[in-house]
Amino acid sequence: SCSRRENGNTAPQALTLLNGAETLRNAEALARTLLSLPGSNDERIQAAYRRILSRGALPAELAAGRQFLTDQAALHQGNEGPWRDYCLALLTLNEFVFVD
């Protein structure tokens, strides 16, 4: 018997969350909200972390977020696509999915 289950997803769970219509709708709505905020992308990344994970982004997470948005901008036309993908990535983190 196991008295404690470790945090983690099976592949089907993670794929369902990543590709789920509800998760995508939430990511799109949050991306629109973040883009409507005044300020820099760094401030928007911090706002995303506060809204999704209830904490600020660490310096390494901030740098990774900047790089992610830059990389995604090359794949998308318009500004909402990279932000939608970023929000989707945050919404599928174990830190969001599982409560400590």
Side-chain angles (χ1 to χ4, degrees):
S1 93
C2 180
S3 62
R4 176 178 152 94
R5 181 180 182 269
E6 292 298 318
N7 292 346
N9 289 340
T10 64
Q13 288 172 323
L15 289 172
T16 298
L17 187 60
L18 184 62
N19 296 311
E22 183 176 352
T23 309
L24 186 56
R25 277 192 307 272
N26 288 332
E28 288 170 344
L30 183 53
R32 283 191 299 273
T33 298
L34 293 171
L35 287 170
S36 72
L37 298 175
S40 68
N41 280 348
D42 283 4
E43 291 169 317
R44 290 183 181 113
I45 291 169
Q46 288 291 358
Y49 265 79
R50 283 190 301 277
R51 287 170 187 247
I52 295 172
L53 301 174
S54 298
R55 65 173 179 83
L58 300 173
E61 293 166 331
L62 191 58
R66 275 190 227 111
Q67 186 62 53
F68 182 90
L69 291 167
T70 299
D71 293 345
Q72 290 303 104
L75 302 174
H76 293 282
Q77 291 182 0
N79 205 18
E80 191 174 311
W83 281 97
R84 180 201 59 224
D85 293 351
Y86 185 67
C87 292
L88 185 60
L90 292 179
L91 288 169
T92 59
L93 290 173
N94 272 357
E95 187 176 345
F96 177 76
V97 176
F98 295 97
V99 177
D100 270 337

